[in-house]
C-alpha cells in the first residue's frame, strides 16, 4: 500500500503538469496487480498484491 496521492482523473495520471511517474510505476509494475482507491476528494492510495506465478 502506498498513500498520499491525490485522486487521478487523467490517463496517464498527471501531477504538477507532467506524467505522475511514481504512480505509473506501481500501477504498471509487471509483478503486481495494483488499483487506486480514492479515499476523499483530495486523497487516494494505491493497493497492490503480488501476482501469482504459474497461472493459478
Amino acid at each position: 500500500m502506498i498513500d498520499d496521492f491525490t485522486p487521478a482523473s487523467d490517463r496517464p495520471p498527471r501531477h504538477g503538469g507532467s506524467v505522475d511517474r511514481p504512480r505509473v510505476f506501481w500501477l504498471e509494475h509487471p509483478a503486481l496487480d495494483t488499483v487506486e482507491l480514492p479515499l476523499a476528494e483530495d486523497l487516494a492510495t494505491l493497493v497492490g498484491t503480488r501476482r501469482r506465478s504459474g497461472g493459478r
Side-chain angles (χ1 to χ4, degrees), residues 12-30:
R14 303 183 74 73
H15 181 73
S18 60
V19 173
D20 187 345
R21 300 245 179 249
R23 186 186 321 240
V24 170
F25 174 83
W26 293 111
L27 289 171
E28 296 182 357
H29 195 287

Side-chain angles (χ1 to χ4, degrees), residues 1 11 20 23-24 41-42 54:
M1 180 173 83
R11 292 292 176 245
D20 187 345
R23 186 186 321 240
V24 170
E41 190 172 307
D42 61 346

Side-chain angles (χ1 to χ4, degrees), residues 1-52:
M1 180 173 83
I2 302 171
D3 62 358
D4 291 336
F5 285 96
T6 55
S9 57
D10 299 329
R11 292 292 176 245
R14 303 183 74 73
H15 181 73
S18 60
V19 173
D20 187 345
R21 300 245 179 249
R23 186 186 321 240
V24 170
F25 174 83
W26 293 111
L27 289 171
E28 296 182 357
H29 195 287
L32 300 173
D33 287 319
T34 305
V35 296
E36 179 176 328
L37 301 175
L39 302 174
E41 190 172 307
D42 61 346
L43 181 63
T45 190
L46 302 180
V47 177
T49 185
R50 190 180 322 182
R51 291 183 179 169
R52 287 185 170 185

